Amino acid sequence: MNELERFLAGWERVRSNVIQAAGDMPEAAYDFAPFAGIRTFHEQLQHILHNADVFVDCTVNGKFNLDLFDLYPYAGLSKDALLGALQSNLRRQRERLMTRSVDLTTAVIRYLDGSDRPAMDIMRGMKEHEIAHLNQMYFYLRAKGITPHSTLLRNAQEGH
């Protein structure tokens, strides 16, 4: 398994957890945010999808398309539509990364701050960003009295 395949396998695990968390939250609570002024659960999902769009596009094309930052194509989607978007987005972005014309393990991309960064570092940062939002989603689930599936699985494996 090469470096890109390892990255994609890890991202798929993260996205699978995001999809599970999104499925666990009742749609009636999608507008929930535990504090004023922070993203709702729905907005967390929109942001995860938008972030993948922007960062994969940057990685594939070798530069950031600043016009993408102003788009928010996932606003207003229902729970089912967001769940579908999370799955199709991952498939689409995976395909884009696998069929790119440059070697992402050696490519260098101009980052937003003007510095040159390895493409794989940019992709790892995107995945870590998604993990951060997943952790926020877990907090939202717990605030609604829902135990995240990863905790339930770990407890079952440990015999709790």
Side-chain angles (χ1 to χ4, degrees):
M1 185 180 289
N2 67 33
E3 187 175 1
L4 178 59
E5 291 168 333
R6 278 191 304 276
F7 165 79
L8 290 168
W11 187 24
E12 288 172 11
R13 284 189 303 275
V14 171
R15 182 59 65 88
S16 175
N17 285 324
V18 168
I19 291 167
Q20 182 67 49
D24 290 345
M25 181 65 90
E27 187 166 15
Y30 264 48
D31 288 333
F32 171 72
F35 307 103
I38 63 172
R39 288 187 174 105
T40 66
F41 192 86
H42 192 278
E43 290 168 337
Q44 295 283 347
L45 294 169
Q46 293 173 50
H47 182 70
I48 287 168
L49 287 161
H50 187 241
N51 188 60
D53 291 345
V54 169
F55 279 83
V56 171
D57 182 80
C58 161
T59 303
V60 169
N61 293 317
K63 63 180 180 178
F64 278 98
N65 177 352
L66 297 181
D67 292 336
L68 290 179
F69 283 87
D70 294 331
L71 301 178
Y72 241 72
Y74 307 101
L77 295 181
S78 69
K79 177 180 177 175
D80 287 343
L82 278 171
L83 289 170
L86 286 162
Q87 294 168 343
S88 64
N89 175 271
L90 179 64
R91 282 192 304 272
R92 184 175 62 254
Q93 303 305 3
R94 184 184 205 293
E95 181 66 23
R96 289 184 74 200
L97 290 168
M98 292 298 290
T99 60
R100 82 270 171 231
S101 60
V102 297
D103 181 358
L104 296 180
T105 61
T106 59
V108 174
I109 295 171
R110 177 73 33 103
Y111 200 68
L112 293 169
D113 65 358
S115 65
D116 290 333
R117 300 201 187 163
M120 286 305 301
D121 283 356
I122 290 173
M123 293 309 303
R124 286 185 195 100
M126 181 206 66
K127 182 178 77 171
E128 291 159 354
H129 187 93
E130 191 161 324
I131 291 168
H133 286 284
L134 172 61
N135 287 325
Q136 290 173 317
M137 292 168 60
Y138 285 166
F139 182 77
Y140 289 30
L141 286 167
R142 288 188 179 281
K144 288 295 188 178
I146 302 166
T147 302
H149 70 282
S150 57
T151 301
L152 295 173
L153 288 173
R154 187 174 49 252
N155 287 345
Q157 290 170 347
E158 294 173 358
H160 298 284

